[in-house]
């Protein structure tokens, strides 16, 4: 992979950053919704003090109705009940407002959540498209590198064989032992469905291979004659 990020890689990074940002926002929304539900659950006012005073007043009034002396003065209990009811009503009204506000917050968060979920789905497609473009771009570059490397290999092979032919052509200067290549170079596959160019010894009728042996032999011939030409340029004629 190149040291300098390619435009395709930059596009992938942008899509990943957007995806991560949306996922983080969705997580924050989930946490915020949970917090609002806790607020709603806590927006409940205890009515038991009112109910207890109501029962005590009822009991005192029942005692008066049956000619008994009440254990607690009904007027005092009525006054306390009135105050407790007023306090409860005030607190309950505040709790209702708090809960209603929390429900409104949840409604807004839920709409934002739904929007982000739709955007996240779209971003998934955009990220895949960016990744595909990146992979294809990198493959195409690697394919061009492959063809250049194959051409270098084929050229080196032709040079070795051209020199070997020169060594055998009555010069008696061939190296001792086995020849550099006991047989012709094996066919080398060419990348398919990639704009990586053609090899120096390719056959237009067969794009599956980097070269055919007929063209390879022509390269060897060319390399052989170049060896002779190089000597001739230096004034060494054989």
């Amino acid at each position: 992979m190149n040291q300098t990020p390619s435009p395709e890689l930059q596009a992938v990074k942008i899509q990943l950053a957007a995806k991560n940002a949306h996922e983080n926002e969705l997580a924050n929304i989930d946490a915020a919704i949970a917090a609002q539900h806790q607020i709603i659950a806590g927006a409940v006012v205890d009515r038991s003090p009112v109910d207890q005073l109501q029962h005590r007043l009822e009991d005192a009034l029942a005692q008066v109705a049956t000619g008994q002396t009440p254990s607690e003065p009904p007027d005092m209990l009525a006054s306390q009940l009135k105050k407790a009811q007023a306090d409860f009503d005030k607190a309950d009204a505040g709790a209702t407002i708090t809960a209603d506000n929390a429900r409104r917050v949840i409604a807004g968060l839920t709409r934002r959540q739904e929007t982000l979920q739709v955007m996240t789905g779209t971003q998934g497609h955009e990220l895949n498209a960016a990744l595909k473009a990146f992979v294809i771009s990198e493959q195409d570059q690697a394919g061009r590198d492959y063809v250049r490397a194959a051409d270098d290999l084929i050229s080196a092979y032709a040079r070795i064989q051209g020199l070997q032919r020169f060594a055998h052509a009555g010069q008696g200067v061939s190296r001792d032992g086995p020849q550099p290549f006991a047989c012709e170079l094996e066919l080398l596959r060419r990348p398919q469905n990639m704009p990586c160019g053609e090899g120096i010894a390719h056959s237009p009728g067969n794009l599956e291979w980097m070269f055919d042996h007929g063209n390879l032999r022509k390269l060897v011939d060319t390399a052989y004659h170049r060896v002779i030409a190089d000597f001739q340029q230096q004034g060494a004629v054989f």
Side-chain angles (χ1 to χ4, degrees), residues 161-171 173 224 227-228 231 238:
Q161 293 298 78
L163 286 164
Q164 186 67 13
R165 181 184 300 178
F166 174 81
H168 277 292
Q171 307 305 324
V173 293
Y224 166 69
V227 172
I228 296 175
F231 276 116
F238 295 93

Side-chain angles (χ1 to χ4, degrees), residues 2-55:
N2 295 331
Q3 293 288 341
T4 302
S6 64
E8 292 80 10
L9 180 56
Q10 290 284 23
V12 171
K13 292 170 66 176
I14 290 171
Q15 291 300 326
L16 280 175
K19 177 177 178 291
N20 292 335
H22 279 185
E23 289 177 349
N24 289 337
E25 187 174 355
L26 281 170
N28 291 337
I29 288 175
D30 287 339
I33 289 175
Q36 295 302 313
H37 280 300
Q38 290 182 343
I39 290 174
I40 292 172
V44 177
V45 180
D46 183 11
R47 186 182 169 80
S48 61
V50 175
D51 293 337
Q52 290 173 2
L53 282 169
Q54 179 71 28
H55 294 161

Side-chain angles (χ1 to χ4, degrees), residues 1 6 8-9 12 129-139:
M1 192 177 298
S6 64
E8 292 80 10
L9 180 56
V12 171
L131 282 170
K132 180 178 180 180
F134 167 73
V135 169
I136 290 175
S137 174
E138 290 294 310
Q139 279 185 330

Side-chain angles (χ1 to χ4, degrees), residues 211-228:
F211 63 89
D212 67 19
H213 285 109
N215 289 336
L216 185 62
R217 294 181 194 115
K218 291 178 183 178
L219 285 179
V220 172
D221 289 341
T222 300
Y224 166 69
H225 291 295
R226 185 175 294 124
V227 172
I228 296 175

Side-chain angles (χ1 to χ4, degrees), residues 56 59-60 63 68-73 77:
R56 286 163 60 189
D59 291 343
Q63 289 173 331
Q68 301 178 38
T69 301
S71 55
E72 297 179 279
L77 292 173

Side-chain angles (χ1 to χ4, degrees), residues 42-48 87-96:
V44 177
V45 180
D46 183 11
R47 186 182 169 80
S48 61
D87 291 343
F88 171 80
D89 290 343
K90 182 178 179 180
D92 188 56
T96 298

